[in-house]
């Protein structure tokens, strides 16, 4: 079975940092583009970042550019999201998702990813 498991969320003060991990099992992550999405309380899910199979192409939402960094280690079957300079508006449930069928240098941050993790809570508050 295909499974994605997020970890690394928690409570952090504004200006702090967290690193989220997305570990894949049941499939080889190195054949999928990966996206990170988040859903704040009372709001719709939004795309945060994506990374191509090769790791050479990344995209970020304007709200997180310069603060978040996505990376992947295909040998470990894991994708990461390093989040720095966190703001209260970054609070939400963060999900990773996998998308097959793209070329190795492509990623998209749009709805339609077929495989999703269970999410990990990130709370930014003083």
């Amino acid at each position: 079975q295909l499974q994605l498991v997020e970890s690394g969320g928690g409570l952090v003060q504004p200006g702090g940092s967290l690193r989220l991990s997305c570990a894949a099992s049941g499939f080889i992550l190195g054949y999928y583009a990966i996206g990170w999405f988040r859903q704040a309380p009372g709001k719709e899910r939004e795309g945060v970042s994506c990374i191509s199979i090769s790791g050479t192409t990344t995209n970020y939402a304007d709200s997180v550019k310069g603060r978040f960094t996505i990376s992947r280690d295909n040998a470990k079957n894991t994708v990461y999201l390093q989040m720095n300079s966190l703001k209260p508006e970054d609070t939400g449930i963060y999900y990773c998702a996998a998308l097959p069928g793209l070329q190795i240098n492509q990623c998209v941050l749009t709805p339609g990813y077929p495989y999703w993790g269970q999410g990990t809570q990130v709370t930014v508050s003083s």
Side-chain angles (χ1 to χ4, degrees):
Q1 67 282 358
L2 303 179
Q3 187 173 12
L4 295 166
V5 179
E6 302 94 335
S7 62
L11 175 64
V12 65
Q13 293 187 345
S17 298
L18 288 172
R19 189 178 77 158
L20 306 183
S21 298
C22 174
S25 64
F27 65 102
I28 300 174
L29 190 145
Y31 288 93
Y32 296 79
I34 301 296
W36 283 98
F37 299 79
R38 68 187 180 190
Q39 188 167 20
K43 296 186 179 296
E44 296 297 314
R45 184 180 61 195
E46 64 175 344
V48 175
S49 183
C50 67
I51 188 167
S52 64
I53 290 170
S54 67
T56 60
T57 301
T58 59
N59 289 307
Y60 297 91
D62 288 342
S63 59
V64 306
K65 285 181 179 177
R67 300 188 297 119
F68 290 12
T69 303
I70 190 170
S71 62
R72 67 191 300 158
D73 187 339
N74 289 342
K76 296 181 178 179
N77 228 26
T78 301
V79 172
Y80 306 96
L81 184 67
Q82 179 67 46
M83 306 187 296
N84 298 326
S85 302
L86 283 162
K87 304 175 180 179
E89 51 263 46
D90 295 319
T91 293
I93 302 174
Y94 283 69
Y95 302 89
C96 68
L99 178 64
L102 298 184
Q103 298 190 48
I104 62 171
N105 62 343
Q106 294 180 306
C107 82
V108 294
L109 195 54
T110 58
Y113 279 65
Y115 307 114
W116 294 82
Q118 85 290 346
T120 185
Q121 177 70 46
V122 172
T123 303
V124 184
S125 175
S126 60

